[in-house]
Amino acid sequence: MNTPVSAATEVDLDITGMTCASCAARVEKKLNRMPGVIATVNYGTDRAHIALPKGTSIDDAIATIEATGYRAQRPRVESDRERAYDEPEVRNLRRRVTISAILTAPVVALAMIPPLQFDYWQWFSLALAAPVVVWGALPFHRAAWTNLRHGAATMDTLVSLGVGAAFVWSLYALFLGGAGDPEMRMAFQVLPSQGAGNSEIYLEVAAAVTTFILLGRYFEIRAKSRSSQALTALLSLGAKDVTVVSDGRERTIAIDELAVGDHFLVRPGEKVATDGRVINGESSVDISLLTGEPMPADVGPGDVVVGAGINTSGRLVVQATRVGVDTHLARIAALVEDAQTKKAPVQRLADRISAIFVPIVIVLALATVVGWSITGADLAFAFTAGVAVLIIACPCALGLATPTALLVGTGRGAQMGIVIRGPEILESTRKIDTIVLDKTGTLTQGRMSVVDVLIDDNRPDTVTLTAAVESASEHPIGRALAAAADEIQLVEAFRSTQGQGVRGVVDGSTVITGRPSWLVHEWSISIPPTAHDWIDDQRERGRTVVATAIDGSFGGAFAIADAVKDSSAHAVSEIKELVGEPILVTGDNTHSAQAVADQLGIGSVVADVLPESKIAVVRDLQAQGKCVAMVGDGVNDAAALAQADLGIAMGSGSDVAIEASDITLVRSDPRSIVDAIRLSRRTLSTIKGNLFWAFAYNIAAIPLAMAGLLNPMVAGAAMAFSSVFVVGNSLRLRGFQPTG
């Protein structure tokens, strides 16, 4: 039913059938011509974000898109998940590329190497080339036909025309000309001659152009097919079922059945099913997946917990306060989706040029045929010249320009632990002038460890005894203290006080370790003034302090923090030289953040931020005209990574952050940030150089072809040479060296 909306509304629509950025631009132009409609079409996500005025229905927008030659539908999460995992489009295109390449290789070899030619070789080539031209190039033919029906022309149009013209002329030469002779041999001729064109075939040109362009399309569509995986990975963090407590009875239900106000159970090691408030029990909840911070939160009755947090120790009964789309996790997912949908598509240079180049080439080819016919040349010669124009202009090297550089550049990046998603990302790296850095897991280790120790001279065994008693604790601080000793002794009579500390007997000594205030007030431990000063200094530096008492006397204290990575200082220095002063943004407290910033020489710090605040920081910088790169590793970074002009995720981080990013650093070495930007810029420069020379070869030869001075076979050879040049230029990226 076509029901107009009663008020202004916004809607997202999935669009299928777009083959290039110019397609997205054409759909966007058509939508924005509708009265009161404001639309952006993202070719990278195949999605349109449309603001509809009152009285305009969603069906009206869909009808406009379909009238433009494409299909549209409301997005469905289920289909997104299926597309993300099955990737049928990628598999189908890969099969088309593989089969076309296998069939094309002998066709090219026979045409270009005369000694390989045998009786009836041309008919053998026809049998191999025909499936490539008809079935392999079908996506280009279909797109060209769609463009023709709507009065438009893209590179698909030129590919279809060039391939079709070369193939049709080859059929003419084989069946009606002299090319069908069993003993026919074909050699290169620099200049075409009157009456010679009907004895030459161009099957290798038709097949090779098809295969090369398909290869470029494959690399492009493979990167696009992963666009929906971020949301799938994010939503998978949540619990699938939950144990509900009602009238003293426990029963397990699906998470979708949970309602606000229900009481549910969270056992040690389980995920918190949804946002809620603790009714009964005490524990520590690890929310690092959401916050990115390693320190778990101690919770008890009345405290708030968020869905997807992991209960590390005690048994909790929680009352659900938010469910479904209202949860903290769902809101982060919405932020990621919004940022991805509204990210402006980067227009391919080839697509921008094709808007002018393609129609001009078609006109020039027709003008060549007509012109030579008027001058009295025979039809075969005129048609040969026209075919030469189409073939020399056909974007064979253009199809290789991006994928070969991308393949070599990303391959070299993979060797260095850098994963670049696609060519559109490279453009962003060139413009970056501001880098926002997450702290935990990016510049720091992402786990708690002992960074400083104060030991009483009378108790040199403090470290060993503390590690022994903490080895029985499940708390991350306990694990950090346990790791401080080379050998763990047996602990007896272990007891834990939630949120305060632990105690036990080790080798006959009573050991108490925990908060300094707990030792003083609960156990009447006297802490020396020098130790007090040390503790205060450590706290001012943003570190957590744990004190130890042995047999009723102060034994020492431990400073625990998320240690800075060894390479972080060098990385920050390189970032300053390459881009400029970085900005540190973290959900950690101000003291800890400032301590890390001071250690690394970072002047700008934004601390105590929520995921919504992180994306707000990025948006504020973008509003100031900055081109922003965001580097992070946690779920809390995912929305900001998607919003940023360039998202860089550390490989040790969450799957969500990695999927929402543009570049992934597998080695999690901060120096890889610099390497990623340098390699991306180098790859982009190579692509642009390839594109320039690809067009230069063609454009320079078009006048020769029109003048009848360029045999189509020579045109094919020029295309082959330009392709070799482009590939050779791309291979230079293999020599890229990382930062020392």
Side-chain angles (χ1 to χ4, degrees):
M1 177 180 290
N2 190 353
T3 304
V5 296
S6 58
T9 187
E10 295 186 4
V11 64
D12 290 332
L13 295 176
D14 284 339
I15 303 176
T16 56
M18 296 190 300
T19 59
C20 61
S22 59
C23 296
R26 187 148 55 90
V27 175
E28 183 175 304
K29 185 178 181 180
K30 291 286 187 180
L31 287 171
N32 285 319
R33 285 180 176 175
M34 298 175 64
V37 172
I38 301 175
T40 58
V41 179
N42 192 326
Y43 174 59
T45 60
D46 290 322
R47 181 166 291 186
H49 182 80
I50 310 171
L52 299 173
K54 181 180 179 181
T56 302
S57 71
I58 299 173
D59 291 335
D60 292 335
I62 293 176
T64 298
I65 296 172
E66 293 180 345
T68 312
Y70 306 94
R71 297 177 299 279
Q73 64 179 7
R74 295 174 178 84
R76 296 180 298 175
V77 176
E78 292 80 10
S79 65
D80 286 346
R81 292 179 180 178
E82 292 174 2
R83 184 172 58 186
Y85 287 105
D86 296 339
E87 298 185 343
E89 195 174 3
V90 177
R91 290 200 308 270
N92 293 337
L93 188 55
R94 182 169 58 244
R95 182 169 61 251
R96 196 181 296 269
V97 170
T98 303
I99 295 174
S100 296
I102 293 173
L103 295 174
T104 297
V107 176
V108 173
L110 286 171
M112 297 298 181
I113 308 175
L116 297 180
Q117 297 172 4
F118 51 87
D119 289 350
Y120 296 104
W121 71 270
Q122 68 273 43
W123 297 100
F124 178 70
S125 295
L126 175 63
L128 295 177
V132 178
V133 173
V134 177
W135 174 78
L138 184 60
F140 308 121
H141 302 322
R142 187 184 294 120
W145 174 246
T146 300
N147 292 328
L148 179 62
R149 288 192 297 116
H150 295 87
T154 65
M155 276 300 174
D156 289 325
T157 306
L158 191 57
V159 172
S160 181
L161 280 176
V163 169
F167 186 70
V168 169
W169 179 259
S170 298
L171 293 178
Y172 166 77
L174 285 170
F175 288 97
L176 301 177
D181 190 330
E183 299 181 355
M184 191 274 284
R185 301 292 186 267
M186 191 169 65
F188 286 119
Q189 294 181 4
V190 178
L191 300 177
S193 60
Q194 295 276 0
N198 62 357
S199 63
E200 295 178 346
I201 57 176
Y202 315 118
L203 295 173
E204 82 288 353
V205 175
V209 168
T210 299
T211 301
F212 285 137
I213 303 302
L214 280 174
L215 184 64
R217 187 66 54 81
Y218 168 71
F219 287 117
E220 181 180 4
I221 199 70
R222 187 176 65 173
K224 286 176 57 183
S225 68
R226 299 172 180 163
S227 62
S228 64
Q229 292 185 10
L231 292 178
T232 303
L234 182 58
L235 294 173
S236 68
L237 291 177
K240 305 302 182 218
D241 49 46
V242 56
T243 302
V244 175
V245 180
S246 179
D247 299 327
R249 301 177 60 185
E250 300 178 3
R251 61 188 180 94
T252 301
I253 62 174
I255 189 65
D256 295 338
E257 300 177 23
L258 189 65
V260 174
D262 287 347
H263 290 190
F264 61 92
L265 179 65
V266 189
R267 301 180 181 88
E270 291 184 345
K271 292 181 179 180
V272 180
T274 192
D275 298 355
R277 190 177 304 275
V278 178
I279 301 300
N280 187 25
E282 293 182 340
S283 182
S284 293
V285 178
D286 182 0
I287 55 174
S288 58
L289 284 172
L290 294 174
T291 66
E293 305 307 321
M295 186 67 73
D298 295 323
V299 297
D303 291 331
V304 174
V305 292
V306 296
I310 300 176
N311 184 18
T312 63
S313 53
R315 182 179 184 273
L316 296 175
V317 177
V318 181
Q319 183 182 32
T321 56
R322 295 191 186 96
V323 297
V325 297
D326 297 325
T327 64
H328 191 71
L329 179 64
R331 290 202 303 270
I332 295 178
L335 288 173
V336 175
E337 184 176 25
D338 182 66
Q340 286 188 333
T341 302
K342 294 183 178 180
K343 182 179 289 186
V346 178
Q347 296 288 330
R348 298 278 199 275
L349 179 60
D351 289 318
R352 292 199 297 265
I353 296 177
S354 69
I356 301 173
F357 183 70
V358 174
I360 290 177
V361 170
I362 295 173
V363 171
L364 290 177
L366 292 174
T368 300
V369 175
V370 173
W372 278 109
S373 299
I374 293 175
T375 60
D378 61 69
L379 182 60
F381 181 85
F383 192 74
T384 299
V387 170
V389 173
L390 284 175
I391 291 176
I392 197 62
C394 213
C396 181
L398 186 63
L400 287 171
T402 296
T404 56
L406 184 64
L407 182 63
V408 178
T410 54
R412 179 60 183 141
Q415 294 176 337
M416 300 163 50
I418 301 168
V419 180
I420 304 171
R421 294 297 182 95
E424 68 279 356
I425 293 154
L426 306 176
E427 184 71 23
S428 299
T429 64
R430 181 182 64 85
K431 303 175 183 177
I432 293 300
D433 55 22
T434 304
I435 291 186
V436 176
L437 298 172
D438 175 53
K439 178 180 73 70
T440 305
T442 301
L443 299 175
T444 65
Q445 299 289 347
R447 64 179 183 272
M448 306 304 293
S449 59
V450 177
V451 295
D452 204 353
V453 179
L454 176 68
I455 302 296
D456 188 275
D457 295 337
N458 298 320
R459 299 305 311 226
D461 56 349
T462 297
V463 174
T464 302
L465 296 176
T466 302
V469 72
E470 288 287 3
S471 67
S473 172
E474 298 178 347
H475 200 282
I477 289 180
R479 292 195 291 269
L481 290 168
D486 297 329
E487 189 175 330
I488 300 297
Q489 296 179 321
L490 181 66
V491 59
E492 300 175 343
F494 176 82
R495 295 289 185 273
S496 175
T497 300
Q498 188 69 39
Q500 299 295 331
V502 298
R503 66 186 188 277
V505 178
V506 182
D507 196 22
S509 297
T510 299
V511 183
I512 304 171
T513 181
R515 298 177 185 268
S517 59
W518 185 58
L519 268 65
V520 172
H521 297 115
E522 184 70 20
W523 301 100
S524 302
I525 303 299
S526 177
I527 298 179
T530 54
H532 272 296
D533 294 339
W534 185 89
I535 291 172
D536 291 340
D537 177 66
Q538 295 296 329
R539 286 174 172 169
E540 288 179 2
R541 297 166 69 178
R543 298 171 176 176
T544 299
V545 178
V546 174
T548 297
I550 304 172
D551 294 329
S553 302
F554 177 78
F558 302 82
I560 300 168
D562 186 10
V564 173
K565 294 178 180 179
D566 295 336
S567 58
S568 292
H570 182 262
V572 170
S573 177
E574 292 288 333
I575 288 172
K576 289 181 178 180
E577 293 184 10
L578 185 66
V579 178
E581 187 71 31
I583 301 172
L584 183 64
V585 179
T586 177
D588 208 350
N589 63 78
T590 302
H591 289 302
S592 297
Q594 192 60 55
V596 172
D598 292 342
Q599 185 176 347
L600 299 177
I602 300 176
S604 182
V605 179
V606 182
D608 291 313
V609 296
L610 298 173
E612 296 88 341
S613 301
K614 282 192 176 184
I615 194 174
V617 170
V618 174
R619 285 173 172 167
D620 288 344
L621 290 169
Q622 290 173 329
Q624 299 171 22
K626 304 289 187 180
C627 189
V628 182
M630 172 71 193
V631 186
D633 73 321
V635 174
N636 65 314
D637 302 319
L641 287 168
Q643 174 65 35
D645 300 283
L646 178 69
I648 303 176
M650 309 301 287
S652 60
S654 70
D655 292 340
V656 180
I658 293 172
E659 292 295 342
S661 66
D662 302 313
I663 297 175
T664 301
L665 308 180
V666 178
R667 295 191 292 120
S668 297
D669 187 340
R671 291 176 297 184
S672 296
I673 300 171
V674 177
D675 292 334
I677 295 175
R678 289 178 55 239
L679 177 60
S680 297
R681 289 179 175 179
R682 175 82 174 275
T683 306
L684 176 64
S685 176
T686 301
I687 289 175
K688 289 189 173 183
N690 287 347
L691 290 172
F692 170 79
W693 287 110
F695 276 109
Y697 278 115
N698 295 341
I699 293 175
I702 286 177
L704 297 177
M706 293 181 66
L709 299 176
L710 185 63
N711 191 292
M713 282 296 299
V714 177
M719 286 178 55
F721 179 74
S722 67
S723 299
V724 171
F725 181 89
V726 164
V727 172
N729 191 43
S730 298
L731 289 174
R732 296 194 301 141
L733 289 169
R734 297 171 63 181
F736 181 87
Q737 296 298 318
T739 303

